[in-house]
């Protein structure tokens, strides 16, 4: 691990209010190396420069602790089940597993090549209680083995908030939490999705607006509490939520 990487990562985490020990920093550095190496052969990320990667992938993934009470829950609670929908190269789910190792994590994505890479990372870092899952959210959200089985669902995927809620809320247990990483300026989109969220059994509990440390990126962290079961007709068949968002 380079000295620059360690200093930038630890300082970025401090700005979130998170103390990071050297062992976790070492694992994150190895993860960074694996992403950059694999990126030569497949498209995982456009961001490979060290400082930018730290800010826009690692610190951004960890900014979930901006959500009320979530820092204590992730740090102290044991056996929390979390699913990362549209995980891509593992952001935020892989980062959360490394920093909060007691989490039980499912990395979910529709592209098998990405998940094969994440399986390599899991093996390399010897991580436990983490799995990859390949498929469409609309299909697995109706599968009784996964439907309403998770305490927390997170997504940093680029999707309309209404469609994203239909992908994610079916996975969340009643009284669980769906946390969406949205770009700054998304308030009208979030407001327009409020009906869909209510229909799907959720309630917008909190929106945290902030600047990502050491960047010019505005973030809105949206916390949606699951207050009742998702109706059986949701999620709709694959492709429908994106084409015809609930209004």
């Amino acid at each position: 691990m380079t000295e620059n990487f360690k200093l930038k990562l630890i300082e970025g985490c401090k700005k979130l209010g998170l103390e990071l020990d050297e062992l976790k920093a070492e694992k994150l550095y190895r993860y960074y190396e694996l992403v950059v190496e694999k990126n030569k052969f497949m498209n995982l990320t456009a961001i490979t420069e060290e400082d930018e990667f730290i800010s826009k992938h690692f610190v951004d993934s960890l900014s979930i602790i901006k959500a009320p009470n979530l820092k204590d829950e992730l740090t102290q609670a044991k056996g929390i089940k979390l699913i990362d929908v549209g995980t891509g190269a593992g952001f935020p789910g892989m980062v959360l597993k490394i920093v909060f190792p007691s989490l039980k994590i499912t990395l979910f994505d529709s592209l098998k090549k990405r998940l094969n890479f994440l399986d390599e990372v899991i093996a390399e870092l010897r991580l436990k209680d983490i799995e990859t899952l390949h498929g469409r959210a609309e299909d697995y959200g109706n599968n009784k083995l996964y439907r309403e089985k998770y305490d927390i669902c997170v997504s940093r995927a680029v999707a309309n908030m209404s469609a994203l809620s239909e992908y994610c809320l079916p996975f969340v247990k009643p009284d669980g939490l769906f946390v969406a990483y949205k770009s700054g300026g998304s308030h009208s989109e979030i407001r327009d999705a409020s009906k869909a969220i209510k229909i799907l059994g959720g309630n917008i509990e909190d929106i945290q607006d902030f600047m990502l440390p050491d960047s010019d990126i505005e973030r809105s962290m949206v916390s949606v509490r699951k207050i009742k079961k998702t109706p059986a007709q949701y999620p709709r068949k694959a492709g429908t939520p994106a084409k015809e968002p609930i209004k």
Side-chain angles (χ1 to χ4, degrees):
M1 176 171 59
T2 67
E3 192 65 19
N4 174 72
F5 183 94
K6 182 170 75 171
L7 291 175
K8 289 282 185 181
L9 179 62
I10 290 174
E11 184 61 28
C13 288
K14 277 185 180 177
K15 290 176 180 177
L16 293 176
L18 185 65
E19 295 291 332
L20 195 70
D21 64 45
E22 193 154 338
L23 179 59
K24 291 173 182 176
E26 286 279 7
K27 285 187 176 182
L28 287 172
Y29 183 71
R30 182 60 185 143
Y31 177 26
Y32 163 67
E33 287 185 314
L34 291 168
V35 171
V36 171
E37 182 61 31
K38 182 63 72 172
N39 209 55
K40 296 173 184 176
F41 309 102
M42 64 180 289
N43 183 27
L44 291 171
T45 177
I47 299 166
T48 56
E49 189 275 324
E50 196 171 277
D51 288 4
E52 193 178 13
F53 197 101
I54 291 167
S55 175
K56 295 182 179 179
H57 283 324
F58 288 161
V59 176
D60 187 36
S61 293
L62 293 168
S63 67
I64 191 174
I65 66 171
K66 292 280 188 180
N69 305 317
L70 212 46
K71 179 182 176 183
D72 289 342
E73 192 169 349
L74 294 175
T75 304
Q76 298 170 11
K78 303 294 182 185
I80 289 176
K81 291 187 68 177
L82 181 150
I83 185 168
D84 176 10
V85 172
T87 190
F91 309 117
M94 183 69 76
V95 182
L96 295 177
K97 178 61 187 178
I98 292 168
V99 176
F100 305 108
S102 67
L103 291 173
K104 295 183 177 180
I105 296 223
T106 299
L107 303 174
F108 185 89
D109 203 85
S110 61
L111 191 62
K112 191 70 169 75
K113 286 183 178 179
R114 292 190 194 121
L115 297 177
N116 290 341
F117 164 68
L118 292 175
D119 285 333
E120 293 173 15
V121 176
I122 290 166
E124 172 81 16
L125 300 182
R126 299 181 181 179
L127 301 176
K128 306 296 182 185
D129 288 328
I130 181 169
E131 64 175 358
T132 59
L133 187 64
H134 173 243
R136 297 287 294 260
E138 300 97 320
D139 296 329
Y140 277 88
N142 282 308
N143 185 320
K144 64 181 181 180
L145 295 177
Y146 300 94
R147 185 179 177 90
E148 297 186 330
K149 298 297 184 184
Y150 292 90
D151 303 290
I152 302 171
C153 176
V154 298
S155 186
R156 212 176 68 140
V158 179
N160 175 277
M161 187 66 189
S162 177
L164 195 62
S165 298
E166 189 170 352
Y167 298 145
C168 293
L169 276 169
F171 289 109
V172 182
K173 297 176 181 178
D175 201 38
L177 200 63
F178 160 44
V179 182
Y181 293 64
K182 301 299 291 183
S183 59
S186 298
H187 279 236
S188 61
E189 176 194 325
I190 296 163
R191 184 174 59 251
D192 290 345
S194 59
K195 181 181 178 182
I197 290 168
K198 185 176 181 180
I199 288 170
L200 293 161
N203 180 62
I204 298 174
E205 189 171 75
D206 185 79
I207 302 173
Q208 291 287 324
D209 299 317
F210 58 96
M211 293 294 295
L212 194 63
D214 301 317
S215 81
D216 57 358
I217 296 175
E218 296 179 13
R219 265 284 184 222
S220 292
M221 194 67 66
V222 187
S223 301
V224 178
R225 182 68 61 184
K226 183 80 168 275
I227 57 174
K228 62 182 179 181
K229 286 181 174 289
T230 299
Q233 65 265 39
Y234 299 105
R236 293 167 293 167
K237 66 180 181 179
T240 304
K243 291 176 184 175
E244 302 172 20
I246 301 168
K247 296 181 179 178

